Amino acid sequence: MIDVVLPCLNEAAALPWVLDRMPDGHRPIVVDNGSTDGSAGIAAAHGALVVHEPRRGFGAACHAGLAAATAEVVCFMDADASLDPGELPRVVDGLATADLVLGRRRPTSLAAWPVHARLGNAVLARSLNRRAGTRLHDLGPMRAMRREALEDLALTDMRFGYPLEMVLRAAGAGWRINELDVAYHPREGRSKVTGTVRGTMRAVRDMRRVLAEHDVPVKTVVGAHR
């Protein structure tokens, strides 16, 4: 069994598609982060384990999902239908040669990834690569790793800096980090981050704060699958 953590804030329109496409052997853990649109009930009706996290923040939701996970391997992905759960087995298979596998987003249309969001991601990726010695192109929201190893990293960020902190601490621990391409679709509804310039800048600010707080020695083995 693979556990799949899906942080969720008002994703009622997207959850049925996402959960219906969850591969066999992958258990969805939907972490409801204060939804007001019935997301939690929809997730439960589609067979997901629902965890309630009242503390607002993407990182807070991820922490709660990890605490609920029990499988040897845990994945994270967005719950907004921008990513296809059908690609999870390929990402998990990448753990045969890596400790952390990131899905490098390949947009299926111009609408899938607004220009301001791509630019923000590119700036952060360059900053990460300089700091940690990685050669990554994307801080991919679909990712897989071994649960106990992730717990040992002792991540602390409760906001949008969580995904970046994961990569930085993994780099510092000498993890092999790989990325492979995954399709990136237009999401259902408006994104809390990429849907507005303000949201994107807030996420970039959180991630820059995480970069400033972590002094990471360069000892990571990184590969890229295209």
Side-chain angles (χ1 to χ4, degrees):
M1 180 64 68
I2 308 295
D3 280 335
V4 183
V5 176
L6 298 110
C8 174
L9 176 59
N10 293 330
E11 301 292 2
L15 282 171
W17 184 87
V18 172
L19 296 175
D20 286 347
R21 294 183 64 81
M22 194 64 59
D24 291 342
H26 292 64
R27 178 178 68 153
I29 302 175
V30 173
V31 184
D32 186 70
N33 202 206
S35 298
T36 58
D37 65 350
S39 290
I42 292 172
H46 283 77
L49 170 63
V50 177
V51 175
H52 295 276
E53 176 49 73
R55 296 173 298 171
R56 282 293 181 93
F58 182 82
C62 290
H63 280 285
L66 179 61
T70 58
E72 178 183 356
V73 171
V74 63
C75 299
F76 292 81
M77 64 172 285
D78 291 343
D80 59 9
S82 61
L83 296 163
D84 185 350
E87 300 210 57
L88 284 170
R90 188 164 56 88
V91 175
V92 171
D93 285 346
L95 292 175
T97 56
D99 303 300
L100 173 61
V101 182
L102 306 176
R104 181 185 180 183
R105 289 170 286 185
R106 294 294 197 177
T108 59
S109 69
L110 291 176
W113 205 356
V115 172
H116 64 268
R118 295 193 204 195
L119 290 175
N121 181 76
V123 169
L124 286 167
R126 284 197 296 270
S127 298
L128 169 64
N129 291 336
R130 287 196 300 269
R131 180 66 60 87
T134 52
R135 297 192 302 275
L136 299 172
H137 302 84
D138 184 19
L139 298 174
M142 178 182 282
R143 47 184 63 187
M145 72 293 299
R146 292 164 184 86
R147 177 178 55 82
E148 291 185 355
L150 177 58
E151 292 171 343
D152 289 342
L153 292 183
L155 305 184
T156 60
D157 194 89
M158 295 291 172
R159 299 171 63 179
F160 290 121
Y162 184 91
L164 177 59
E165 185 188 16
M166 183 189 297
V167 179
L168 282 168
R169 287 191 180 272
W175 286 24
R176 299 166 297 168
I177 304 174
N178 284 350
E179 61 180 7
L180 53 83
D181 292 350
V182 297
Y184 195 50
H185 307 275
R187 61 155 289 149
E188 286 286 344
R190 188 180 188 184
S191 172
K192 293 83 178 172
V193 180
T194 61
T196 65
V197 173
R198 181 179 179 183
T200 298
M201 293 307 297
R202 185 172 67 246
V204 170
R205 183 178 65 245
D206 284 351
M207 292 187 183
R208 282 194 176 280
R209 171 180 48 78
V210 170
L211 278 171
E213 291 173 352
H214 289 78
D215 184 16
V216 181
V218 177
K219 56 180 181 179
T220 310
V221 179
V222 182
H225 300 288
R226 301 167 184 251

